[in-house]
């Protein structure tokens, strides 16, 4: 890959890369196509609007947005102006947005119209008063619309913020087993490296590709799939605002015929078991990817039998920004995450920090140029994760003699459900807020498809009686307090929980009980 110049602004780089493609389609969202020429204008206009609104370089702009062309416009426009966009999960409860707005000290929030009531709830919980910019609809008093703000003279290329490749460019929040989500700070250069090291050589992405990612742009995985990668080569991307149900995905696969589909294991399972699964002749994928959690071998094999196309399962992280271990076309080994992506180094270490040999499980460490710089305002967790050149992932892996890596669990108690982290402690803490619950222990369980689901063991207060309706009530209770993927899919009522002498819940014993 070409080395990066010291002065580097990712948005300027993308506009320059595509300056000869003005009439080519960059995006097709639910409202239709947008050309590279139009994207260029929108990015520079949004940058001008942020400057006019008094947003200064390095100030954060929260993006609480569904996947439409307004999201790449806002993300790249903020980078162009030197501001720091922070795309956030659109399924969170208002408390989480209140925390993120305060923690990031966001000077502006760009919000999809449908999410405005939730933002208003969040703002009512904080003293913060960011500028509110509404995408895709009218703005209430005091707020602006994105469409209105784009009615401005665009900044000229020479007015782009003169950023260093290592400057803070954007944040993504990532969750841990305890505490609040961590603001993971990435540089302009990191975006460039994920495209150079993974997307171009591993996926062979090029300007003739049409990409479609079921993972949304606010995830690190989705941001690469739907923004960094296609825009680095002038490809076309299909964006979809709604949830990625099998039906919604099939519609895009058959209507727009993407050549690259970026999925996650739970979705592949749901697609393959759907009666509406398209025929091979109705789709055009040349390659697919999977990340977020390990793809069960049978799922990959079944998909390839149906479509004749491989799924390249890989491992990435928010901290490394994208995939650093991946299968390769033609040498896929289903049931593994593949081999290290060139440009990244991987080590598996034992508890004393020494490398473990092939065949033994170790803690996964990564070294590579797309590593985040730090967690904002969190020295303790930054130090535990970013250890000099190396980054501790929190995953346990085992490598075979051929250099293929297979998932072997987490180093902490975190679960990965539908590709997203779930902290058992966070779910337990919510369950005990319910008046019927005395205590609870939450674990992950592998279902019949080989995917992880959340299971809660609950001890009720003496006056309560276990019942199915109480179990459903507890599930709904968690759903109202946490993001939807976190609620326990199974609730078991028990008389007591296994504990250490000091009273800590022994989740490994719960897992053994659960396994029967
Ligand atoms: O979860 C993953 O495997 C992943 C992949 C790519 C980028 C980000 C993440 C978290």
């Amino acid at each position: 890959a070409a080395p990066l110049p010291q002065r580097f602004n990712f948005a300027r780089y993308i506009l320059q890369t595509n300056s000869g493609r003005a009439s080519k389609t960059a995006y097709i969202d639910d409202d239709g196509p947008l050309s590279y020429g139009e994207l260029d204008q929108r990015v520079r206009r949004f940058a001008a609007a942020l400057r006019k609104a008094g947003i200064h370089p390095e100030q954060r702009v929260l993006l609480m947005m569904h996947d439409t062309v307004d999201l790449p416009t806002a993300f790249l426009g903020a980078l162009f102006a030197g501001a720091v966009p922070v795309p956030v999960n659109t399924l969170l409860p208002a408390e989480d947005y209140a925390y993120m707005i305060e923690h990031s000290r966001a000077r502006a929030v760009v919000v999809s119209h449908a999410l405005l009531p939730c933002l208003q709830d969040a703002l009512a919980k904080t003293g913060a008063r960011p500028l509110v910019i509404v995408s895709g609809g009218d703005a209430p008093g005091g707020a602006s619309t994105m469409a209105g703000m784009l009615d401005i003279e665009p900044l000229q290329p020479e007015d782009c913020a003169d950023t260093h490749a290592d400057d803070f460019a954007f944040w993504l929040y990532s969750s841990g087993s305890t505490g609040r989500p961590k603001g993971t700070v990435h540089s302009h250069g990191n975006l460039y490296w994920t495209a150079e090291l993974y997307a171009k050589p591993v996926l062979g992405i090029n300007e003739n590709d049409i990409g479609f990612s079921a993972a949304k742009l606010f995830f690190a995985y989705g941001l690469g799939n739907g923004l960094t990668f296609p825009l680095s080569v002038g490809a076309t991307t299909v964006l979809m605002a709604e949830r990625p149900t099998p039906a919604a995905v099939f519609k895009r696969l058959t209507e727009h015929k993407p050549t690259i589909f970026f999925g996650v294991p739970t979705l592949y399972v749901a697609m393959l078991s759907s009666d509406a699964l398209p025929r091979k002749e109705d789709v055009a994928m040349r390659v697919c990817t999977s990340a977020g959690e390990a793809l069960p071998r049978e799922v990959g094999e079944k998909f390839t039998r149906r479509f004749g196309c491989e799924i390249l399962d890989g491992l990435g992280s928010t901290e490394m920004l994208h995939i650093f271990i991946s299968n390769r076309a033609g040498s896929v080994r289903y049931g593994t995450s593949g081999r290290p992506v060139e440009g990244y180094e991987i080590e598996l270490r034992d508890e004393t920090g020494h490398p473990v040999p092939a065949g033994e499980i170790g803690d996964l460490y990564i070294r590579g140029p797309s590593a985040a710089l730090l967690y904002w305002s969190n020295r303790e967790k930054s130090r535990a994760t970013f250890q000099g050149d190396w980054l501790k992932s929190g995953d346990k892996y085992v490598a075979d003699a051929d250099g293929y890596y297979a998932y072997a669990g987490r180093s902490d108690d975190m679960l990965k459900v539908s590709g997203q982290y779930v902290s058992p402690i966070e779910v337990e803490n919510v369950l005990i807020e319910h008046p019927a619950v005395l205590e609870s222990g939450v674990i992950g369980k592998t279902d019949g498809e080989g995917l992880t689901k959340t299971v809660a063991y609950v001890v009720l207060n003496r006056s309560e009686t276990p019942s199915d309706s109480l179990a459903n009530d507890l599930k709904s209770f968690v759903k109202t307090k946490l993001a939807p993927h976190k609620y326990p899919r199974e609730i078991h009522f028990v008389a007591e929980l296994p504990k250490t002498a000091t009273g800590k819940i022994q989740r490994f014993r719960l897992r053994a009980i659960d396994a029967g």
Side-chain angles (χ1 to χ4, degrees), residues 220-221 291-292 314-318 321-323 416 419:
Y221 180 44
L315 173 70
S317 72
T318 303
L321 191 53
H322 217 277
I323 288 175
K416 260 220 160 160

Side-chain angles (χ1 to χ4, degrees), residues 172 198 219-225 290-293 313-324 397 416 419-421:
L172 294 170
Y198 170 71
F219 291 117
Y221 180 44
L223 186 69
N225 305 341
S290 181
E293 60 185 318
D313 188 15
L315 173 70
S317 72
T318 303
E319 286 74 6
M320 289 306 295
L321 191 53
H322 217 277
I323 288 175
F324 48 84
Y397 260 79
K416 260 220 160 160
Q420 297 182 68
Y421 283 112

Side-chain angles (χ1 to χ4, degrees), residues 370-387:
S370 62
L373 304 168
L374 72 153
Y375 296 129
W376 187 259
S377 299
N378 196 334
R379 192 203 295 240
E380 190 193 331
K381 292 207 165 127
S382 296
R383 280 192 170 162
T385 300
F386 306 103
Q387 304 182 0

Side-chain angles (χ1 to χ4, degrees), residues 308-379:
C309 145
E310 291 174 313
I311 302 179
L312 307 185
D313 188 15
L315 173 70
S317 72
T318 303
E319 286 74 6
M320 289 306 295
L321 191 53
H322 217 277
I323 288 175
F324 48 84
I325 296 181
S326 179
N327 277 283
R328 311 293 204 283
S331 57
V332 166
R333 279 202 198 160
Y334 284 128
T336 79
S337 303
R339 289 169 290 136
V341 169
E342 218 171 296
Y344 294 94
E345 278 176 75
I346 306 295
E347 268 187 21
L348 299 182
R349 302 184 190 165
D350 65 19
E351 296 85 65
T352 61
H354 293 100
V356 300
E360 275 182 32
I361 294 175
D363 288 313
L364 183 82
Y365 287 76
I366 315 118
R367 175 151 76 173
S370 62
L373 304 168
L374 72 153
Y375 296 129
W376 187 259
S377 299
N378 196 334
R379 192 203 295 240

Side-chain angles (χ1 to χ4, degrees), residues 277-299:
L277 185 68
R279 295 173 312 161
K280 182 175 185 231
E281 308 74 75
D282 298 327
V283 298
M285 293 90 76
R286 66 170 181 83
V287 69
C288 295
T289 68
S290 181
E293 60 185 318
L295 181 78
R297 184 168 49 80
E298 298 72 24
V299 178

Side-chain angles (χ1 to χ4, degrees), residues 128-175:
R129 289 293 166 262
L131 168 66
V132 173
I133 304 167
V134 181
S135 153
D138 296 336
S144 308
T145 62
M146 181 133 173
M149 286 180 80
L150 290 174
D151 188 13
I152 188 173
E153 273 303 302
L155 285 187
Q156 291 307 309
E158 58 274 19
D159 297 327
C160 175
D162 183 26
T163 46
H164 191 285
D166 295 337
D167 273 351
F168 294 176
F170 68 102
W171 301 9
L172 294 170
Y173 276 95
S174 81
S175 349

